[in-house]
Amino acid sequence: MTRIRLHGASYSVYTRIARLILAECALSYDFIELDIFDKENLPAGYLELHPFSKIPVLEQGDVRLFETDAIAQYLVALAKQERFLPADPLTRARCLQLMRILDNYAYPKLVWGIWVEDQERGPLSAEAIAEARNVLRVLESFDAGAYLSGHDLTLADIWALPMITYLQMTPRGSVMLSECSKLSRWFGTMGQRASVQATRFPAEHDT
Ligand SMILES: N[C@@H](CCC(=O)N[C@@H](CS)C(=O)NCC(=O)O)C(=O)O
């Protein structure tokens, strides 16, 4: 198989999603680390790989892909690991629903609204806390089994893990997560996976 190259950052939520899938699918790859927020110093030609200046980007021979969902679906098909997307219509729909909830609400409200605010600005506003709680309440309501959309690991779990990890690393987020018994249990289970341990954020090594 032509060698896979992944451009991204070890601190990035979406890069970690791609790396979790690569690890879960036992696909080896070269990781090309860049700081996407240092726009002045992006690698030459990076905008040809990602015209919207984001990470991750996957390359394999002539294949170039951006948008993490496209990368994810390519990788699971390549590795013949379609089990990460449930076959049953409703379970699959719930899995996709969760992934979009995570993109559209959890990423902005938990990662940017809580983790980044906590790191960069200090005291969290009541509004930010209420919005994060609302996201957690919705995730907690997906009462499916050991994993978020059933009894097996799916892309929804892989999507959620990096976002909940950043939330949980803040004092307030850790308390909020502990108030959600199912999500807390799920987070503990996920933390034991080799893929999760192998892709820890740099900030996790400091905690
Ligand atoms: N919709 C994109 C989102 C990717 C994304 O937002 N990546 C973040 C890092 S986790 C990024 O590149 N941020 C840089 C920026 O917004 O300038 C995807 O699914 O790949």
PDB file of all heavy atoms in Angstrom, residues 104-128:
ATOM      1  N   ASN A 104     -20.585  20.738  15.156  1.00  0.00           N
ATOM      2  CA  ASN A 104     -21.289  22.033  15.129  1.00  0.00           C
ATOM      3  C   ASN A 104     -21.496  22.655  16.506  1.00  0.00           C
ATOM      4  O   ASN A 104     -21.655  23.874  16.604  1.00  0.00           O
ATOM      5  CB  ASN A 104     -22.644  21.872  14.425  1.00  0.00           C
ATOM      6  CG  ASN A 104     -22.455  21.550  12.946  1.00  0.00           C
ATOM      7  OD1 ASN A 104     -21.642  22.177  12.274  1.00  0.00           O
ATOM      8  ND2 ASN A 104     -23.159  20.558  12.446  1.00  0.00           N
ATOM      9  N   TYR A 105     -21.538  21.841  17.545  1.00  0.00           N
ATOM     10  CA  TYR A 105     -21.815  22.383  18.884  1.00  0.00           C
ATOM     11  C   TYR A 105     -20.713  22.060  19.900  1.00  0.00           C
ATOM     12  O   TYR A 105     -20.309  22.936  20.659  1.00  0.00           O
ATOM     13  CB  TYR A 105     -23.184  21.874  19.382  1.00  0.00           C
ATOM     14  CG  TYR A 105     -24.268  22.073  18.341  1.00  0.00           C
ATOM     15  CD1 TYR A 105     -24.794  21.006  17.620  1.00  0.00           C
ATOM     16  CD2 TYR A 105     -24.718  23.366  18.027  1.00  0.00           C
ATOM     17  CE1 TYR A 105     -25.749  21.197  16.619  1.00  0.00           C
ATOM     18  CE2 TYR A 105     -25.666  23.565  17.022  1.00  0.00           C
ATOM     19  CZ  TYR A 105     -26.176  22.481  16.329  1.00  0.00           C
ATOM     20  OH  TYR A 105     -27.107  22.682  15.332  1.00  0.00           O
ATOM     21  N   ALA A 106     -20.248  20.806  19.929  1.00  0.00           N
ATOM     22  CA  ALA A 106     -19.240  20.462  20.948  1.00  0.00           C
ATOM     23  C   ALA A 106     -17.908  21.155  20.665  1.00  0.00           C
ATOM     24  O   ALA A 106     -17.290  21.709  21.584  1.00  0.00           O
ATOM     25  CB  ALA A 106     -19.046  18.942  21.013  1.00  0.00           C
ATOM     26  N   TYR A 107     -17.466  21.135  19.420  1.00  0.00           N
ATOM     27  CA  TYR A 107     -16.157  21.759  19.127  1.00  0.00           C
ATOM     28  C   TYR A 107     -16.162  23.246  19.511  1.00  0.00           C
ATOM     29  O   TYR A 107     -15.289  23.694  20.251  1.00  0.00           O
ATOM     30  CB  TYR A 107     -15.787  21.519  17.662  1.00  0.00           C
ATOM     31  CG  TYR A 107     -14.436  22.073  17.275  1.00  0.00           C
ATOM     32  CD1 TYR A 107     -13.263  21.596  17.866  1.00  0.00           C
ATOM     33  CD2 TYR A 107     -14.314  23.080  16.321  1.00  0.00           C
ATOM     34  CE1 TYR A 107     -12.017  22.103  17.519  1.00  0.00           C
ATOM     35  CE2 TYR A 107     -13.069  23.586  15.965  1.00  0.00           C
ATOM     36  CZ  TYR A 107     -11.930  23.099  16.569  1.00  0.00           C
ATOM     37  OH  TYR A 107     -10.698  23.606  16.225  1.00  0.00           O
ATOM     38  N   PRO A 108     -17.142  24.042  19.053  1.00  0.00           N
ATOM     39  CA  PRO A 108     -17.108  25.448  19.471  1.00  0.00           C
ATOM     40  C   PRO A 108     -17.370  25.665  20.963  1.00  0.00           C
ATOM     41  O   PRO A 108     -16.744  26.531  21.582  1.00  0.00           O
ATOM     42  CB  PRO A 108     -18.192  26.129  18.616  1.00  0.00           C
ATOM     43  CG  PRO A 108     -19.002  25.039  18.014  1.00  0.00           C
ATOM     44  CD  PRO A 108     -18.176  23.788  18.027  1.00  0.00           C
ATOM     45  N   LYS A 109     -18.283  24.914  21.550  1.00  0.00           N
ATOM     46  CA  LYS A 109     -18.688  25.235  22.935  1.00  0.00           C
ATOM     47  C   LYS A 109     -17.796  24.586  24.001  1.00  0.00           C
ATOM     48  O   LYS A 109     -17.623  25.155  25.085  1.00  0.00           O
ATOM     49  CB  LYS A 109     -20.144  24.814  23.194  1.00  0.00           C
ATOM     50  CG  LYS A 109     -21.161  25.429  22.252  1.00  0.00           C
ATOM     51  CD  LYS A 109     -21.117  26.943  22.277  1.00  0.00           C
ATOM     52  CE  LYS A 109     -22.164  27.559  21.359  1.00  0.00           C
ATOM     53  NZ  LYS A 109     -21.950  28.996  21.158  1.00  0.00           N
ATOM     54  N   LEU A 110     -17.272  23.396  23.714  1.00  0.00           N
ATOM     55  CA  LEU A 110     -16.430  22.728  24.722  1.00  0.00           C
ATOM     56  C   LEU A 110     -14.954  23.062  24.537  1.00  0.00           C
ATOM     57  O   LEU A 110     -14.246  23.331  25.512  1.00  0.00           O
ATOM     58  CB  LEU A 110     -16.606  21.198  24.668  1.00  0.00           C
ATOM     59  CG  LEU A 110     -18.035  20.651  24.785  1.00  0.00           C
ATOM     60  CD1 LEU A 110     -18.011  19.122  24.849  1.00  0.00           C
ATOM     61  CD2 LEU A 110     -18.770  21.228  25.988  1.00  0.00           C
ATOM     62  N   VAL A 111     -14.495  23.031  23.280  1.00  0.00           N
ATOM     63  CA  VAL A 111     -13.059  23.263  23.054  1.00  0.00           C
ATOM     64  C   VAL A 111     -12.756  24.766  23.078  1.00  0.00           C
ATOM     65  O   VAL A 111     -11.927  25.225  23.866  1.00  0.00           O
ATOM     66  CB  VAL A 111     -12.597  22.612  21.725  1.00  0.00           C
ATOM     67  CG1 VAL A 111     -11.107  22.881  21.495  1.00  0.00           C
ATOM     68  CG2 VAL A 111     -12.870  21.109  21.755  1.00  0.00           C
ATOM     69  N   TRP A 112     -13.449  25.536  22.239  1.00  0.00           N
ATOM     70  CA  TRP A 112     -13.175  26.981  22.189  1.00  0.00           C
ATOM     71  C   TRP A 112     -13.836  27.707  23.357  1.00  0.00           C
ATOM     72  O   TRP A 112     -13.239  28.605  23.955  1.00  0.00           O
ATOM     73  CB  TRP A 112     -13.607  27.563  20.841  1.00  0.00           C
ATOM     74  CG  TRP A 112     -12.616  27.156  19.783  1.00  0.00           C
ATOM     75  CD1 TRP A 112     -12.691  26.056  18.980  1.00  0.00           C
ATOM     76  CD2 TRP A 112     -11.372  27.789  19.474  1.00  0.00           C
ATOM     77  NE1 TRP A 112     -11.577  25.974  18.179  1.00  0.00           N
ATOM     78  CE2 TRP A 112     -10.751  27.029  18.456  1.00  0.00           C
ATOM     79  CE3 TRP A 112     -10.720  28.927  19.946  1.00  0.00           C
ATOM     80  CZ2 TRP A 112      -9.504  27.368  17.912  1.00  0.00           C
ATOM     81  CZ3 TRP A 112      -9.484  29.270  19.390  1.00  0.00           C
ATOM     82  CH2 TRP A 112      -8.897  28.497  18.391  1.00  0.00           C
ATOM     83  N   GLY A 113     -15.066  27.319  23.684  1.00  0.00           N
ATOM     84  CA  GLY A 113     -15.815  28.030  24.734  1.00  0.00           C
ATOM     85  C   GLY A 113     -15.294  27.761  26.135  1.00  0.00           C
ATOM     86  O   GLY A 113     -15.419  28.614  27.019  1.00  0.00           O
ATOM     87  N   ILE A 114     -14.712  26.578  26.361  1.00  0.00           N
ATOM     88  CA  ILE A 114     -14.234  26.255  27.715  1.00  0.00           C
ATOM     89  C   ILE A 114     -12.699  26.132  27.752  1.00  0.00           C
ATOM     90  O   ILE A 114     -12.039  26.890  28.454  1.00  0.00           O
ATOM     91  CB  ILE A 114     -14.884  24.948  28.236  1.00  0.00           C
ATOM     92  CG1 ILE A 114     -16.424  25.088  28.276  1.00  0.00           C
ATOM     93  CG2 ILE A 114     -14.328  24.586  29.618  1.00  0.00           C
ATOM     94  CD1 ILE A 114     -16.976  26.070  29.293  1.00  0.00           C
ATOM     95  N   TRP A 115     -12.125  25.210  26.979  1.00  0.00           N
ATOM     96  CA  TRP A 115     -10.673  24.993  27.080  1.00  0.00           C
ATOM     97  C   TRP A 115      -9.873  26.242  26.680  1.00  0.00           C
ATOM     98  O   TRP A 115      -9.041  26.731  27.451  1.00  0.00           O
ATOM     99  CB  TRP A 115     -10.254  23.785  26.233  1.00  0.00           C
ATOM    100  CG  TRP A 115      -8.775  23.716  25.962  1.00  0.00           C
ATOM    101  CD1 TRP A 115      -8.141  24.059  24.801  1.00  0.00           C
ATOM    102  CD2 TRP A 115      -7.745  23.290  26.875  1.00  0.00           C
ATOM    103  NE1 TRP A 115      -6.789  23.868  24.932  1.00  0.00           N
ATOM    104  CE2 TRP A 115      -6.506  23.408  26.180  1.00  0.00           C
ATOM    105  CE3 TRP A 115      -7.746  22.835  28.184  1.00  0.00           C
ATOM    106  CZ2 TRP A 115      -5.288  23.073  26.767  1.00  0.00           C
ATOM    107  CZ3 TRP A 115      -6.520  22.503  28.775  1.00  0.00           C
ATOM    108  CH2 TRP A 115      -5.321  22.623  28.079  1.00  0.00           C
ATOM    109  N   VAL A 116     -10.151  26.780  25.507  1.00  0.00           N
ATOM    110  CA  VAL A 116      -9.360  27.923  25.033  1.00  0.00           C
ATOM    111  C   VAL A 116      -9.629  29.140  25.926  1.00  0.00           C
ATOM    112  O   VAL A 116      -8.696  29.844  26.328  1.00  0.00           O
ATOM    113  CB  VAL A 116      -9.656  28.228  23.545  1.00  0.00           C
ATOM    114  CG1 VAL A 116      -8.889  29.460  23.079  1.00  0.00           C
ATOM    115  CG2 VAL A 116      -9.301  27.023  22.659  1.00  0.00           C
ATOM    116  N   GLU A 117     -10.887  29.358  26.273  1.00  0.00           N
ATOM    117  CA  GLU A 117     -11.212  30.487  27.164  1.00  0.00           C
ATOM    118  C   GLU A 117     -10.500  30.358  28.497  1.00  0.00           C
ATOM    119  O   GLU A 117      -9.935  31.320  29.004  1.00  0.00           O
ATOM    120  CB  GLU A 117     -12.735  30.539  27.424  1.00  0.00           C
ATOM    121  CG  GLU A 117     -13.548  31.134  26.293  1.00  0.00           C
ATOM    122  CD  GLU A 117     -13.274  32.630  26.087  1.00  0.00           C
ATOM    123  OE1 GLU A 117     -13.308  33.398  27.058  1.00  0.00           O
ATOM    124  OE2 GLU A 117     -12.991  32.986  24.940  1.00  0.00           O
ATOM    125  N   ASP A 118     -10.499  29.155  29.039  1.00  0.00           N
ATOM    126  CA  ASP A 118      -9.870  28.907  30.343  1.00  0.00           C
ATOM    127  C   ASP A 118      -8.360  29.167  30.266  1.00  0.00           C
ATOM    128  O   ASP A 118      -7.768  29.743  31.181  1.00  0.00           O
ATOM    129  CB  ASP A 118     -10.145  27.461  30.760  1.00  0.00           C
ATOM    130  CG  ASP A 118      -9.523  27.130  32.100  1.00  0.00           C
ATOM    131  OD1 ASP A 118     -10.114  27.514  33.120  1.00  0.00           O
ATOM    132  OD2 ASP A 118      -8.439  26.510  32.111  1.00  0.00           O
ATOM    133  N   GLN A 119      -7.743  28.735  29.148  1.00  0.00           N
ATOM    134  CA  GLN A 119      -6.296  28.891  28.997  1.00  0.00           C
ATOM    135  C   GLN A 119      -5.908  30.336  28.740  1.00  0.00           C
ATOM    136  O   GLN A 119      -4.906  30.821  29.257  1.00  0.00           O
ATOM    137  CB  GLN A 119      -5.795  28.066  27.793  1.00  0.00           C
ATOM    138  CG  GLN A 119      -5.953  26.573  27.959  1.00  0.00           C
ATOM    139  CD  GLN A 119      -5.069  26.036  29.069  1.00  0.00           C
ATOM    140  OE1 GLN A 119      -3.860  26.109  29.006  1.00  0.00           O
ATOM    141  NE2 GLN A 119      -5.692  25.521  30.111  1.00  0.00           N
ATOM    142  N   GLU A 120      -6.714  31.024  27.918  1.00  0.00           N
ATOM    143  CA  GLU A 120      -6.270  32.324  27.419  1.00  0.00           C
ATOM    144  C   GLU A 120      -6.883  33.515  28.129  1.00  0.00           C
ATOM    145  O   GLU A 120      -6.304  34.580  28.136  1.00  0.00           O
ATOM    146  CB  GLU A 120      -6.543  32.434  25.903  1.00  0.00           C
ATOM    147  CG  GLU A 120      -5.693  31.426  25.147  1.00  0.00           C
ATOM    148  CD  GLU A 120      -5.852  31.519  23.640  1.00  0.00           C
ATOM    149  OE1 GLU A 120      -6.633  32.357  23.146  1.00  0.00           O
ATOM    150  OE2 GLU A 120      -5.178  30.722  22.961  1.00  0.00           O
ATOM    151  N   ARG A 121      -8.074  33.320  28.710  1.00  0.00           N
ATOM    152  CA  ARG A 121      -8.732  34.496  29.258  1.00  0.00           C
ATOM    153  C   ARG A 121      -9.126  34.388  30.730  1.00  0.00           C
ATOM    154  O   ARG A 121      -9.452  35.370  31.351  1.00  0.00           O
ATOM    155  CB  ARG A 121      -9.953  34.871  28.404  1.00  0.00           C
ATOM    156  CG  ARG A 121      -9.569  35.751  27.221  1.00  0.00           C
ATOM    157  CD  ARG A 121     -10.739  36.059  26.329  1.00  0.00           C
ATOM    158  NE  ARG A 121     -10.997  34.950  25.437  1.00  0.00           N
ATOM    159  CZ  ARG A 121     -10.375  34.786  24.259  1.00  0.00           C
ATOM    160  NH1 ARG A 121      -9.494  35.660  23.857  1.00  0.00           N
ATOM    161  NH2 ARG A 121     -10.644  33.758  23.489  1.00  0.00           N
ATOM    162  N   GLY A 122      -9.095  33.197  31.276  1.00  0.00           N
ATOM    163  CA  GLY A 122      -9.397  33.101  32.704  1.00  0.00           C
ATOM    164  C   GLY A 122     -10.849  32.796  32.986  1.00  0.00           C
ATOM    165  O   GLY A 122     -11.426  31.938  32.324  1.00  0.00           O
ATOM    166  N   PRO A 123     -11.465  33.504  33.960  1.00  0.00           N
ATOM    167  CA  PRO A 123     -12.797  33.116  34.424  1.00  0.00           C
ATOM    168  C   PRO A 123     -13.793  32.936  33.278  1.00  0.00           C
ATOM    169  O   PRO A 123     -13.892  33.774  32.391  1.00  0.00           O
ATOM    170  CB  PRO A 123     -13.215  34.274  35.333  1.00  0.00           C
ATOM    171  CG  PRO A 123     -11.945  34.925  35.723  1.00  0.00           C
ATOM    172  CD  PRO A 123     -10.967  34.721  34.606  1.00  0.00           C
ATOM    173  N   LEU A 124     -14.520  31.835  33.344  1.00  0.00           N
ATOM    174  CA  LEU A 124     -15.481  31.513  32.288  1.00  0.00           C
ATOM    175  C   LEU A 124     -16.792  32.247  32.551  1.00  0.00           C
ATOM    176  O   LEU A 124     -17.210  32.380  33.703  1.00  0.00           O
ATOM    177  CB  LEU A 124     -15.747  30.008  32.272  1.00  0.00           C
ATOM    178  CG  LEU A 124     -14.533  29.127  31.954  1.00  0.00           C
ATOM    179  CD1 LEU A 124     -14.818  27.673  32.319  1.00  0.00           C
ATOM    180  CD2 LEU A 124     -14.167  29.235  30.489  1.00  0.00           C
ATOM    181  N   SER A 125     -17.437  32.675  31.483  1.00  0.00           N
ATOM    182  CA  SER A 125     -18.720  33.359  31.662  1.00  0.00           C
ATOM    183  C   SER A 125     -19.807  32.328  31.971  1.00  0.00           C
ATOM    184  O   SER A 125     -19.698  31.152  31.591  1.00  0.00           O
ATOM    185  CB  SER A 125     -19.094  34.138  30.397  1.00  0.00           C
ATOM    186  OG  SER A 125     -19.401  33.233  29.357  1.00  0.00           O
ATOM    187  N   ALA A 126     -20.865  32.811  32.619  1.00  0.00           N
ATOM    188  CA  ALA A 126     -22.010  31.938  32.928  1.00  0.00           C
ATOM    189  C   ALA A 126     -22.617  31.403  31.634  1.00  0.00           C
ATOM    190  O   ALA A 126     -23.069  30.251  31.561  1.00  0.00           O
ATOM    191  CB  ALA A 126     -23.044  32.722  33.729  1.00  0.00           C
ATOM    192  N   GLU A 127     -22.578  32.228  30.578  1.00  0.00           N
ATOM    193  CA  GLU A 127     -23.151  31.823  29.301  1.00  0.00           C
ATOM    194  C   GLU A 127     -22.346  30.666  28.693  1.00  0.00           C
ATOM    195  O   GLU A 127     -22.915  29.677  28.208  1.00  0.00           O
ATOM    196  CB  GLU A 127     -23.162  33.015  28.341  1.00  0.00           C
ATOM    197  CG  GLU A 127     -23.908  32.748  27.058  1.00  0.00           C
ATOM    198  CD  GLU A 127     -23.740  33.872  26.045  1.00  0.00           C
ATOM    199  OE1 GLU A 127     -23.013  34.847  26.326  1.00  0.00           O
ATOM    200  OE2 GLU A 127     -24.334  33.742  24.967  1.00  0.00           O
ATOM    201  N   ALA A 128     -21.007  30.771  28.747  1.00  0.00           N
ATOM    202  CA  ALA A 128     -20.152  29.705  28.196  1.00  0.00           C
ATOM    203  C   ALA A 128     -20.391  28.389  28.936  1.00  0.00           C
ATOM    204  O   ALA A 128     -20.468  27.309  28.326  1.00  0.00           O
ATOM    205  CB  ALA A 128     -18.685  30.105  28.285  1.00  0.00           C
TER     206      ALA A 128
END
